[in-house]
């Protein structure tokens, strides 16, 4: 096998009920380039290892599967960064062990775009969101927040984590990660901000993956705990970002999230705080149609 053009980064922990679909979504890809699948298991106590090894032993596809199970749990962010560093491809795609791809041409479409458009560093697309009760809804991230195909670092900083991980393919251009990344409770958004310093993002229109809501660590937390994680993540990003305008945007989002950690009887102030924060953000963010988008309460 030649050096892979795309590395698929798949972190997993206790995903025995989901890992089959995640792996099969990768193995069904129809491409004219080589792929490697990096699976990083954070010491799962369930049968994830046996399931993955079954795929490795019976793999007839021209896709190299590399599997590592840590001897002890190192934490989601450390496992994520560890797996990213193993990726040898020119591009990296993400599919965590509880999500899955649904379109065999997903990687081909996204790679063709990136190869032809060097000014973009990341592509993403709509996904279906699968809830624990088996209900499926359209991607609430893109649908309710971003109404344009091309986004930049100001959009990402302002609108938050509107990109679901199983939809992304990005250039493998970050070789050294800042220490703050290791401390961040939210790894994907931190990574997006690092990448956005190098170029713009592009949204394809094809819906090609499923994101499981309420299964991962962040989506299963209550609103106050999520707000605390956002405060820490945004504060850490603010330490490493270079653009002063972005720093101001992040600080305003931090202030907004702090209100969500107050007792519930004080959170009725949140609507007013959202509006006031939006008014200030408008002064700094040079993107079209920002006013109408912000007033939909997009603070996730």
């Amino acid at each position: 096998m030649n050096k892979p053009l795309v590395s698929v980064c798949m972190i997993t922990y206790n995903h025995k009920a989901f890992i089959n679909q995640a792996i099969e979504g990768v193995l069904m890809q129809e491409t004219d380039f080589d792929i490697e699948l990096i699976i990083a298991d954070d010491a799962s106590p369930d049968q994830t290892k046996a399931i993955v090894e079954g795929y490795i032993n019976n793999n007839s596809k021209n896709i190299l599967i590399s599997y590592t199970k840590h001897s002890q749990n190192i934490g989601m962010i450390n496992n994520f960064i560890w797996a990213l560093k193993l990726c040898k491809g020119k591009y990296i795609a993400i599919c965590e062990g509880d999500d899955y791809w649904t379109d065999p041409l997903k990687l081909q479409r996204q790679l063709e775009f990136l190869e032809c458009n060097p000014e973009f560093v990341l592509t993403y697309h709509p996904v279906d969101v699968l809830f624990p009760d088996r209900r499926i809804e359209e991607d609430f991230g893109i649908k309710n927040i971003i109404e344009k195909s091309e986004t930049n670092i100001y959009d990402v900083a302002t609108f938050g984590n509107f990109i679901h991980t199983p939809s992304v393919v990005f250039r493998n251009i970050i070789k050294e990660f800042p220490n703050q990344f290791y401390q961040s409770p939210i790894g994907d958004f931190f990574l997006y901000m690092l990448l956005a310093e190098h170029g713009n993002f592009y949204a394809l229109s094809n819906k090609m993956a499923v994101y499981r809501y309420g299964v991962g660590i962040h989506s299963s937390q209550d609103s106050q705990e999520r707000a605390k994680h956002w405060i820490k993540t945004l504060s850490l990003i603010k330490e490493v970002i270079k653009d002063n305008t972005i720093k101001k945007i992040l600080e305003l989002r931090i202030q907004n999230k702090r209100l969500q950690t107050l007792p519930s009887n004080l959170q009725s102030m949140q609507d007013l705080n959202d509006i006031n924060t939006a008014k200030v953000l408008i002064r700094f963010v040079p993107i079209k149609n920002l006013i109408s988008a912000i007033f939909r309460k997009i603070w996730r």
Side-chain angles (χ1 to χ4, degrees):
M1 180 178 179
N2 299 322
K3 181 180 178 180
L5 186 63
V6 179
S7 298
V8 181
C9 177
M10 183 178 292
I11 59 172
T12 182
Y13 178 74
N14 271 8
H15 287 156
K16 69 174 183 178
F18 313 122
I19 196 73
N20 296 72
Q21 278 186 302
I23 295 174
E24 288 176 6
V26 177
L27 295 180
M28 76 174 180
Q29 292 301 301
E30 300 173 5
T31 66
D32 57 13
F33 49 81
D34 290 325
I35 303 170
E36 68 171 354
L37 171 57
I38 305 295
I39 304 177
D41 184 346
D42 198 13
S44 297
D46 64 3
Q47 289 75 47
T48 296
K49 180 179 179 181
I51 295 170
V52 174
E53 289 180 341
Y55 278 98
I56 293 173
N57 296 332
N58 298 286
N59 180 23
S60 60
K61 301 286 186 176
N62 188 30
I63 298 176
L64 176 65
I65 303 176
S66 175
Y67 172 72
T68 301
K69 180 176 180 178
H70 298 298
S71 59
Q72 60 184 11
N73 189 277
I74 64 174
M76 183 181 66
I77 298 300
N78 283 328
N79 191 36
F80 182 40
I81 297 173
W82 185 86
L84 288 174
K85 289 182 176 181
L86 290 181
C87 295
K88 300 185 292 292
K90 180 180 177 182
Y91 301 96
I92 298 176
I94 298 178
C95 185
E96 297 182 8
D98 53 350
D99 301 324
Y100 59 97
W101 297 343
T102 56
D103 192 321
L105 296 178
K106 169 188 160 65
L107 291 183
Q108 185 71 39
R109 290 192 181 105
Q110 291 183 271
L111 263 290
E112 286 177 355
F113 178 85
L114 288 170
E115 288 280 87
C116 295
N117 297 276
E119 69 274 21
F120 290 93
V121 296
L122 180 148
T123 64
Y124 64 100
H125 55 76
V127 303
D128 278 325
V129 180
L130 176 60
F131 292 86
D133 61 3
R134 308 303 299 173
R135 175 172 44 94
I136 294 179
E137 293 185 4
E138 288 187 56
D139 185 351
F140 48 75
I142 298 174
K143 181 179 179 182
N144 294 335
I145 297 176
I146 294 293
E147 297 180 341
K148 58 181 182 176
S149 296
E150 182 177 341
T151 52
N152 55 37
I153 190 169
Y154 298 101
D155 300 316
V156 180
T158 302
F159 292 111
N161 207 2
F162 58 87
I163 302 174
H164 292 300
T165 52
S167 76
V168 303
V169 177
F170 57 92
R171 299 184 189 277
N172 188 4
I173 54 177
I174 301 177
K175 304 305 179 184
E176 294 293 333
F177 296 104
N179 292 332
Q180 290 86 344
F181 191 13
Y182 291 84
Q183 305 169 45
S184 175
I186 304 173
D188 53 354
F189 182 72
F190 203 119
L191 176 63
Y192 301 156
M193 287 297 294
L194 294 177
L195 288 166
E197 288 190 294
H198 297 273
N200 291 349
F201 298 175
Y202 190 84
L204 278 67
S205 60
N206 309 76
K207 188 187 299 181
M208 300 184 284
V210 171
Y211 167 77
R212 294 183 195 268
Y213 186 84
V215 174
I217 293 176
H218 189 64
S219 63
S220 60
Q221 295 170 334
D222 62 40
S223 59
Q224 285 198 356
E225 193 64 25
R226 284 198 300 270
K228 291 176 183 178
H229 280 190
W230 267 112
I231 291 168
K232 184 173 182 179
T233 299
L234 294 168
S235 299
L236 289 167
I237 295 172
K238 186 182 169 188
E239 291 179 13
V240 301
I241 214 75
K242 300 178 180 66
D243 188 303
N244 286 329
T245 299
I246 299 299
K247 288 179 182 289
K248 293 175 183 177
I249 294 171
L250 295 175
E251 180 56 37
L252 287 165
R253 294 199 63 209
I254 291 168
Q255 293 175 17
N256 180 270
K257 290 297 179 183
R258 283 187 178 132
L259 184 62
Q260 297 177 28
T261 65
L262 296 174
S264 57
N265 63 325
L266 297 178
Q267 288 191 27
S268 60
M269 296 168 56
Q270 183 179 341
D271 287 350
L272 178 60
N273 188 74
D274 285 345
I275 294 173
N276 289 336
T277 304
K279 288 178 179 177
V280 179
L281 274 174
I282 291 167
R283 301 178 191 173
F284 298 115
V285 185
I287 58 177
K288 296 179 180 179
N289 302 323
L290 178 60
I291 298 176
S292 61
I294 286 183
F295 282 92
R296 295 175 188 162
K297 291 189 65 179
I298 49 71
W299 304 106
R300 293 176 56 210

